[in-house]
Amino acid sequence: MAERPVHVAVTGAAGQIGYAIVFRIASGQLLGPDQPVVLRMLEIEPAMKALEGVAMELEDCAFPLLHDMELTSKAEEAFDGVSWALLVGSVPRKAGMERGDLLSVNGGIFGPQGKAIAAKAAHDVRILVVGNPCNTNCLIARLNAPDIPAERWFAMTRLDENRAKSQLAKKAKVPVSVVSNMAIWGNHSATQYPDARNARIAGTPVYDVISDHGWLKDKFIETVQKRGAAVIEARGLSSAGSAANAAIDSINSIRNATAWGDWTSLAVVSHGEYGTPEGLQFGFPVRSTGKGWEVVEGIEHDDDAKERIRKTTEELLQERDLVKELVPAG
Ligand code: NAX
């Protein structure tokens, strides 16, 4: 067993996704079967009692890898010495809330959390933002932590990738494991563009395997874009198990080299790839070496894809504009 435990922060740890993810982290599914962890769990005051219950259950699992736990309502304590920060906790949209209100409420969370990460985290910290609107929450936190390299910040589009892969597998009647090269472009929202044009099934372009191109162009995209709402409709609650799973997948795809020729979906800082405005936290196809990552270049888009990417870019620019008061002038 490795000697030094890695500290992992989870915010909103008593929430739905928090409850689904902390057991997986403590059991070794995030950092591997030999890596002890210290879980540092952040909650707001009213949820501290529920968080204590989660901690009791974690204790009751007697996970050999769970070296210690810290339960706190103070961001600076939660992020102390962490190498991974999973920013899950956020304020959901309530009836009557405008998009701008939602962004500014969450900006009030993610700005201070960005500062606290910069002040207290380990020198190698990497951050995954799950709490919605995750691209712009990530942008706010990142811009409030200018000393942390922008490449260490990720927002989660992996759940959309996984949803898209499953839809394609079902349609083609193949196991999901043979679907690859599925990228989610842009925002984790209903404007995202799940790119089946460049995805593959057992190495063959999806459009050569699935002959129903009408479905691929419309219904498939809409199903992925609206899958979160469909889960709420069915379950009465938003996606939690699948979101926790996608967060684990995201971090594994950053930590480990991407399979040859494949790519995965992450929203990362734009350096202008594909004409995307610099600095946006944008969903791209990403390839990791395990030590670093890059946006996959050279993917071609038809006019429909270009228009969809333009729309999702436009939405992210509007979101950035709505939160400009929450980020330090650069
Ligand atoms: P819950 O409402 O069940 O849990 C959120 C938790 O965050 C609560 O326990 C709350 O007390 C806590 N919290 C609120 N403000 C906090 C703060 N300032 N510091 C620490 N904790 C705080 O929501 P849940 O279903 O767990 O979803 C969490 C977030 O993930 C939501 O924003 C949700 O929209 C987002 N999602 C993102 C997805 C993605 O693909 N990026 C998919 C799933 C999910 O919709």
Side-chain angles (χ1 to χ4, degrees):
M1 195 177 275
E3 281 174 23
R4 287 164 63 87
V6 169
H7 290 238
V8 179
V10 178
T11 74
Q16 282 206 92
I17 297 173
Y19 186 72
I21 203 167
V22 290
F23 296 91
R24 294 189 62 179
I25 298 172
S27 69
Q29 290 179 57
L30 187 74
L31 299 178
D34 297 322
Q35 179 58 62
V37 291
V38 173
L39 265 175
R40 309 188 73 87
M41 297 183 279
L42 181 69
E43 260 298 348
I44 50 173
E45 268 307 326
M48 286 308 288
K49 184 150 188 282
L51 185 61
E52 278 164 28
V54 175
M56 287 161 71
E57 283 205 67
L58 281 162
E59 267 174 22
D60 295 347
C61 293
F63 287 121
L65 292 171
L66 184 56
H67 189 95
D68 205 356
M69 287 184 269
E70 173 80 24
L71 283 59
T72 178
S73 60
K74 296 190 179 64
E76 297 223 337
E77 286 174 10
F79 298 124
D80 193 10
V82 300
S83 294
W84 285 98
L86 280 74
L87 308 191
V88 179
S90 65
V91 172
R93 195 165 183 164
K94 300 188 182 88
M97 213 178 191
E98 295 294 330
R99 195 176 180 79
D101 300 334
L102 179 73
L103 282 160
S104 56
V105 168
N106 281 298
I109 296 174
F110 287 85
Q113 287 189 357
K115 289 193 175 84
I117 291 169
K120 302 299 276 190
H123 65 93
D124 62 350
V125 66
R126 284 176 282 182
I127 306 99
L128 176 71
V129 180
V130 175
N132 280 324
C134 65
N135 298 56
T136 298
N137 286 341
C138 186
L139 175 126
I140 295 167
R142 168 166 63 77
L143 294 177
N144 277 279
D147 292 343
I148 299 178
E151 287 68 29
R152 306 263 200 85
W153 296 84
F154 305 89
M156 190 166 94
T157 47
R158 180 58 182 256
L159 179 54
D160 308 298
E161 173 190 329
N162 289 348
R163 287 167 170 166
K165 282 178 162 171
S166 286
Q167 293 302 316
L168 293 175
K170 251 169 59 180
K171 183 76 175 175
K173 301 193 172 57
V174 295
V176 71
S177 57
V178 303
V179 184
S180 67
N181 301 79
M182 184 68 231
I184 304 296
W185 296 80
N187 203 0
H188 166 70
S189 76
T191 67
Q192 65 174 274
Y193 172 51
D195 183 3
R197 276 272 179 204
N198 291 293
R200 291 176 172 258
I201 292 180
T204 304
V206 163
Y207 270 65
D208 293 345
V209 177
I210 296 175
S211 55
D212 187 350
H213 291 181
W215 179 84
L216 284 169
K217 283 184 192 142
D218 293 317
K219 186 79 183 144
F220 160 73
I221 294 177
E222 199 189 316
T223 301
V224 177
Q225 289 173 336
K226 298 188 176 160
R227 184 68 164 183
V231 169
I232 294 176
E233 171 72 20
R235 209 169 84 86
L237 290 167
S238 58
S239 306
S242 57
N245 179 66
I248 304 245
D249 282 351
S250 303
I251 290 178
N252 280 325
S253 74
I254 298 164
R255 291 180 59 236
N256 301 309
T258 310
W260 189 85
D262 201 359
W263 54 69
T264 53
S265 303
L266 287 161
V268 295
V269 62
S270 163
H271 295 301
E273 296 89 344
Y274 296 92
T276 304
E278 282 193 33
L280 284 186
Q281 198 76 29
F282 198 87
F284 280 121
V286 168
R287 200 174 273 148
S288 173
T289 60
K291 297 208 183 318
W293 56 265
E294 59 180 14
V295 170
V296 179
E297 300 273 14
I299 292 174
E300 299 204 346
H301 292 122
D302 61 13
D303 287 346
D304 176 61
K306 283 184 188 152
E307 177 56 15
R308 289 179 186 278
I309 292 172
R310 190 195 62 72
K311 274 195 188 138
T312 195
T313 305
E314 188 56 34
E315 185 181 55
L316 281 170
L317 284 171
Q318 283 168 7
E319 288 187 10
R320 182 165 77 176
D321 198 44
L322 284 165
V323 301
K324 60 179 184 295
E325 312 297 328
L326 300 165
V327 297

